[in-house]
Amino acid sequence: MVVSQEVFGKTESGEEVIRYTIKNSNELELDVISFGATFVSLKCPDRNGKIDDVVLGYDNLKDYLSNPPYFGATIGRVANRIANGKFSLSGKEYQLAINAPPNTLHGGWVGFNKHNWKSEVKEDSKVKFTYISPDGDENYPGELTACISFTLTENNEVKLYYKATTKAETIVNLTNHGYFNLAGQVDRDVLDHVAQINAPTYLPTNDVQIPTGEKCSVSSPNSAFDFTKPKPIGQDIDKVPGGGYDHNYCLPQSKEFCAEVYHPSSGRVVKMFTDQPGVQFYTGNGLDGSPGKGGVEYHKYGAFCLEAQNYPDAINQPGFPSPILHPGETYKQKTIFKFDVK
């Protein structure tokens, strides 16, 4: 395999944004860009050999510079929501930006998705991105060095490896916000996609999407959340409060298999593996019909996201896995998306 690269455009400050393309011998083609360390494209065949791009996004850098849905972006310093934008560390309280009232979402107004990461080709199938987040960045403490690498394998895997270190006590929870539609670039929802999530429990939320602190069985009281056996995404979606899935599923610690989603019409299937304690299953509830690649309109339920992560608002929930990172420690995450056909 060979990694090719080209200038995708320039930021408003004149920085060049690099687009990297990795192809394998099975006709899979992965594209990532340095701005936001963003997963912009994954082209793969269906059961009849027809190639299509199964990742939502844009054709130009200008749209990625704004990118309200966070299409394909690497999210940090802390993914998901922090209640009221507040947390305490070692007795000191920090107030973050309230960019999703009344909470902080995905790192604040200028999260990791809004920076042009340093990039380099590491091997013939891997690209590494690095961003140094200064002390006080979006009011988070400590200088944090974050790295993410994207690798495409001959086994049709897209491997995401994350690392982060800090110079002072801080909090961190990284993820990638890839949006998938296995039908390709079409104005079609994903309600016919068949999903399975390897999680016996999920985190119920309050009316502003903050976890209540308890874990609920996926089968009670609302079996709409039960994906332990494969079922169409749309089968029970009308029963979900808020009009769609946007919930953290709690993964077994002893297993890395997280989820599988299958599109019966095309035969495409993606399996996800991660070492994280949770995965945010999101069904594109906020997509509003705005155009994306090739002018295709991305409507509500037009994609699904599987965001490997720590639990939302973990810093304010004593019963959740800690997101605190100390100097001398290394935050690590491994997440794999494996593509196939049936």
Side-chain angles (χ1 to χ4, degrees), residues 2-310:
V2 177
V3 181
S4 61
Q5 63 186 75
E6 63 180 356
V7 176
F8 189 57
K10 292 185 178 181
T11 66
E12 293 176 352
S13 63
E15 294 180 82
E16 287 189 343
V17 173
I18 308 301
R19 178 174 183 152
Y20 297 89
T21 300
I22 312 171
K23 299 179 182 179
N24 72 8
S25 62
N26 303 316
E27 298 187 283
L28 265 71
E29 183 177 310
L30 167 68
D31 283 8
V32 291
I33 60 172
S34 57
F35 187 79
T38 300
F39 184 177
V40 300
S41 174
L42 194 284
K43 295 175 183 176
C44 60
D46 66 8
R47 67 163 64 93
N48 297 314
K50 180 185 176 184
I51 306 292
D52 210 336
D53 182 1
V54 298
V55 173
L56 272 61
Y58 304 111
D59 293 320
N60 59 77
L61 178 60
K62 180 181 177 181
D63 288 330
Y64 278 111
L65 294 179
S66 55
N67 194 7
Y70 301 88
F71 286 141
T74 295
I75 304 298
R77 187 176 292 198
V78 175
N80 218 303
R81 294 169 179 84
I82 295 177
N84 301 309
K86 293 182 179 180
F87 68 94
S88 295
L89 271 182
S90 300
K92 182 177 179 179
E93 185 171 281
Y94 294 86
Q95 177 65 61
L96 307 173
I98 306 300
N99 63 321
N103 307 310
T104 296
L105 176 68
H106 292 336
W109 289 116
V110 187
F112 286 8
N113 60 299
K114 294 290 188 181
H115 292 276
N116 193 30
W117 294 47
K118 178 183 176 182
S119 56
E120 56 184 323
V121 177
K122 296 298 290 184
E123 299 168 10
D124 62 358
S125 61
K126 180 191 291 187
V127 178
K128 179 183 177 183
F129 299 102
T130 302
Y131 171 60
I132 299 176
S133 173
D135 179 31
D137 190 9
E138 284 292 307
N139 212 31
Y140 287 97
E143 179 183 296
L144 186 86
T145 299
C147 301
I148 178 174
S149 65
F150 291 81
T151 304
L152 178 64
T153 75
E154 288 293 350
N155 292 323
N156 297 345
E157 299 164 317
V158 177
K159 294 183 175 181
L160 283 64
Y161 291 136
Y162 306 73
K163 286 186 178 181
T165 56
T166 185
K167 291 187 175 180
E169 185 181 45
T170 191
I171 59 175
V172 62
N173 181 23
L174 306 179
T175 195
N176 182 270
H177 211 312
Y179 284 71
F180 299 99
N181 186 325
L182 299 179
Q185 295 300 314
V186 292
D187 181 3
R188 186 180 304 164
D189 63 45
V190 295
L191 300 183
D192 62 340
H193 287 46
V194 177
Q196 181 180 10
I197 303 175
N198 181 34
T201 57
Y202 76 100
L203 301 180
T205 58
N206 61 20
D207 58 359
V208 291
Q209 294 181 276
I210 296 295
T212 62
E214 61 181 330
K215 292 182 181 179
C216 277
S217 168
V218 294
S219 60
S220 177
N222 186 346
S223 62
F225 292 97
D226 191 352
F227 285 94
T228 53
K229 294 181 180 179
K231 71 176 182 182
I233 290 174
Q235 179 172 307
D236 298 315
I237 202 166
D238 290 341
K239 302 176 185 177
V240 180
Y245 297 98
D246 191 7
H247 296 80
N248 181 87
Y249 281 75
C250 307
L251 303 174
Q253 294 183 359
S254 60
K255 298 180 181 179
E256 288 190 353
F257 170 69
C258 169
E260 176 177 321
V261 181
Y262 168 59
H263 182 231
S265 297
S266 69
R268 293 189 183 97
V269 59
V270 59
K271 293 183 179 180
M272 182 187 184
F273 304 83
T274 188
D275 56 8
Q276 292 300 284
V279 59
Q280 190 83 1
F281 179 50
Y282 176 55
T283 48
N285 316 324
L287 298 179
D288 60 4
S290 296
K293 295 174 183 175
V296 173
E297 294 181 351
Y298 296 150
H299 291 281
K300 184 177 182 179
Y301 306 146
F304 64 90
C305 302
L306 294 167
E307 303 160 62
Q309 59 174 13
N310 194 357

